[in-house]
Amino acid sequence: MNLKAGNSAKNMNPIICADFPEPDVIRVGDTYYMICATMHFFPGGTLLKSYDLVHWEIAAHVFERLDDTPAEQLEGEQSIYGKGMWEASLRYHKDTFYVCFASYDTGKTYIYRTKNINEPWEKRSLDGVYHHPSLLFDEDGRIYMGYGFNEVRILELNDTLTAPKEGGFERLLVEEKQDAYISYEGAHFYKKDGTYYIFVIQWLKGNLTQREQLCLYGDSLDGEFKKEMVFSENLGFPMKGVAQGGIVDTPEGDWYSVMYQEHGAIGKMPVLVPVSWDKKRPVFGDNGKMPAEIRVKSTRPYYVYTPVFSSEIFEETLDGKGRIKPVWQWNHEPDAALWEQTKRGGYRITTGKISVNLIQAVNTLTQRAMYPESTVEVTLDPSDLKDGDFAGLCVLQGCYGWIGVTREYGRYYIVMWNRKLQDCMFHELAPDYMPGTEGFRVPYGGDDIRLKIHVDFTNMRDMAEIFYRSGNRWQRVGSHRLYFKLDHFMGCRYGLFAYSTAKTGGSAEFYDFAYRVENI
């Protein structure tokens, strides 16, 4: 098993030890493709590929930018945290890939399509937010979308996928009338052997303490649908039910579901569950429970997967221009005029706005943190910072923490800043005027400085240890507790950042980045 690609050995679950939330999976020939929500990170719509449903690598991104709105570009105090690209539907129909998702910041539902995932995708949109949409291309040529929150609706689309079909089919299939935290969300819409299936989640209050996977199925869209609870499993993590995913078949005719499980600050990690059929009724796992071992035949057994994390920032290109490796994403849309690849292969950020804190910083370059433990290091050249600038290495989330350098009155200081849970509560961002708390400061000469953050996610410990190197020794400056919160709605990321609080135009260079995954 290629553990270096970021996969877990224990029970093969989670199949990817990082935040790839709300997955949808298809098979095209011998290749499986997975789409994951990326919210406020760009390029957006991360697509992964696999030949055995267990090992995965990043294959492409659906879009470089969305709508270039001021909030998507972090202008002023605007942002799309908790918005952007939500759960997506991935489909393949008549030699064409389709991706459909809603964005709460623009109030639109987008449908992208392409013949080749490595080429630009054509963008279309529908007015309005169709929550967690899932596409179905029926055999008769009609196109439907299942969607909803605390309800499931079915809507027929026009042939151009730009609006509901005039006079087309529309139905409220079911709505939640019980007391629920979440119900009938995360639709995944299929047709198999003449039967329609919609998989959704349910999380009722009362005795039920975790998400469960439900299935609604019927022989006609306007007929009766049965409801079955098909999976209720937490893999030993109470209140962390595995749910919200779709199904896919192998070339041999076996079926599997890829869902996700929340694991604290690391985010939502994909989980693989075998599926069988009792006539029309889907049976997940071994009578509803996760089997001890899952074996999936590989369509390319000798394929070597590229890890979903990397110590490299840039790819080599024939034209010599810097291209960021696909494991990296920017926090919000980047400003291309304010970053560059340096002569020594580093990443330079120049500031172009006044910001009061890390979450407003433009061109913060991020990678997903890896479970169960991971460490990143980078060397920072702060020589071109201006007074009032900050630059460094962070763990990015609403309750962020970072180690870096600031310059004040021409002098340099190594500093650590963080936001604690009481600063930004569970649902909301902290007020924009709150920069966080400085927990460490020491003067130094302003030379290049080596920075390090180690995060332990084991059993949801979710603790970051923060260091800088002085001479040949690492100096620990503090620890910081991390949380998965609804303000960002994404798992913890490592990030390289720079921002100005007084005057723009300062810059920072990051080079010799290193990423290690431990105890996998």
Side-chain angles (χ1 to χ4, degrees), residues 164-232:
K165 182 177 180 180
E166 186 174 352
F169 182 84
E170 185 173 3
R171 180 183 180 185
L172 171 61
L173 182 63
V174 65
E175 59 182 332
E176 186 59 79
K177 296 182 179 179
Q178 302 179 70
D179 194 10
Y181 294 110
I182 299 173
S183 194
Y184 299 135
E185 185 187 36
H188 291 258
F189 197 5
Y190 303 91
K191 188 176 184 181
K192 176 184 180 293
D193 299 331
T195 299
Y196 295 93
Y197 295 86
I198 301 181
F199 296 93
V200 291
I201 61 170
Q202 185 175 48
W203 190 355
L204 300 178
K205 294 183 179 179
N207 294 328
L208 206 58
T209 59
Q210 65 185 28
R211 289 181 176 89
E212 294 182 321
Q213 183 85 335
L214 298 183
C215 180
L216 308 168
Y217 61 101
D219 293 334
S220 66
L221 292 180
D222 56 0
E224 178 185 359
F225 272 65
K226 295 181 180 179
K227 182 176 78 171
E228 299 266 359
M229 191 279 289
V230 294
F231 201 63
S232 181

Side-chain angles (χ1 to χ4, degrees), residues 136-360:
L136 174 68
F137 294 88
D138 216 338
E139 294 99 330
D140 59 5
R142 300 173 75 175
I143 307 168
Y144 301 98
M145 181 169 63
Y147 67 98
F149 177 72
N150 289 334
E151 63 182 20
V152 176
R153 292 182 177 271
I154 300 173
L155 178 68
E156 186 174 0
L157 301 179
N158 63 18
D159 293 340
T160 60
L161 301 173
T162 55
K165 182 177 180 180
E166 186 174 352
F169 182 84
E170 185 173 3
R171 180 183 180 185
L172 171 61
L173 182 63
V174 65
E175 59 182 332
E176 186 59 79
K177 296 182 179 179
Q178 302 179 70
D179 194 10
Y181 294 110
I182 299 173
S183 194
Y184 299 135
E185 185 187 36
H188 291 258
F189 197 5
Y190 303 91
K191 188 176 184 181
K192 176 184 180 293
D193 299 331
T195 299
Y196 295 93
Y197 295 86
I198 301 181
F199 296 93
V200 291
I201 61 170
Q202 185 175 48
W203 190 355
L204 300 178
K205 294 183 179 179
N207 294 328
L208 206 58
T209 59
Q210 65 185 28
R211 289 181 176 89
E212 294 182 321
Q213 183 85 335
L214 298 183
C215 180
L216 308 168
Y217 61 101
D219 293 334
S220 66
L221 292 180
D222 56 0
E224 178 185 359
F225 272 65
K226 295 181 180 179
K227 182 176 78 171
E228 299 266 359
M229 191 279 289
V230 294
F231 201 63
S232 181
E233 176 68 273
N234 59 33
L235 303 180
F237 290 86
M239 295 187 68
K240 303 297 180 184
V242 175
Q244 196 161 332
I247 57 173
V248 65
D249 67 339
T250 70
E252 294 76 27
D254 297 322
W255 287 84
Y256 293 88
S257 176
V258 178
M259 298 180 281
Y260 75 78
Q261 184 178 33
E262 292 182 354
H263 275 261
I266 187 69
K268 302 172 181 178
M269 295 191 287
V271 172
L272 181 66
V273 181
V275 177
S276 57
W277 301 88
D278 180 7
K279 297 181 179 178
K280 296 180 180 181
R281 177 179 175 268
V283 179
F284 278 50
D286 184 3
N287 291 319
K289 294 298 179 181
M290 179 65 69
E293 188 175 0
I294 308 172
R295 295 187 180 274
V296 183
K297 182 179 179 180
S298 175
T299 59
R300 300 190 191 183
Y302 301 106
Y303 185 82
V304 177
Y305 292 84
T306 300
V308 297
F309 62 92
S310 178
S311 293
E312 301 294 328
I313 298 177
F314 293 94
E315 293 182 321
E316 294 185 7
T317 59
L318 295 176
D319 57 11
K321 296 181 180 179
R323 184 171 64 193
I324 302 291
K325 291 178 72 70
V327 297
W328 294 89
Q329 289 173 290
W330 282 281
N331 177 26
H332 287 65
E333 285 191 8
D335 186 334
L338 296 176
W339 73 266
E340 63 178 340
Q341 181 181 14
T342 65
K343 292 181 179 179
R344 52 185 165 188
Y347 174 68
R348 179 182 295 276
I349 307 172
T350 300
T351 67
K353 61 174 280 193
I354 301 299
S355 304
V356 299
N357 49 43
L358 169 65
I359 65 169
Q360 295 180 2

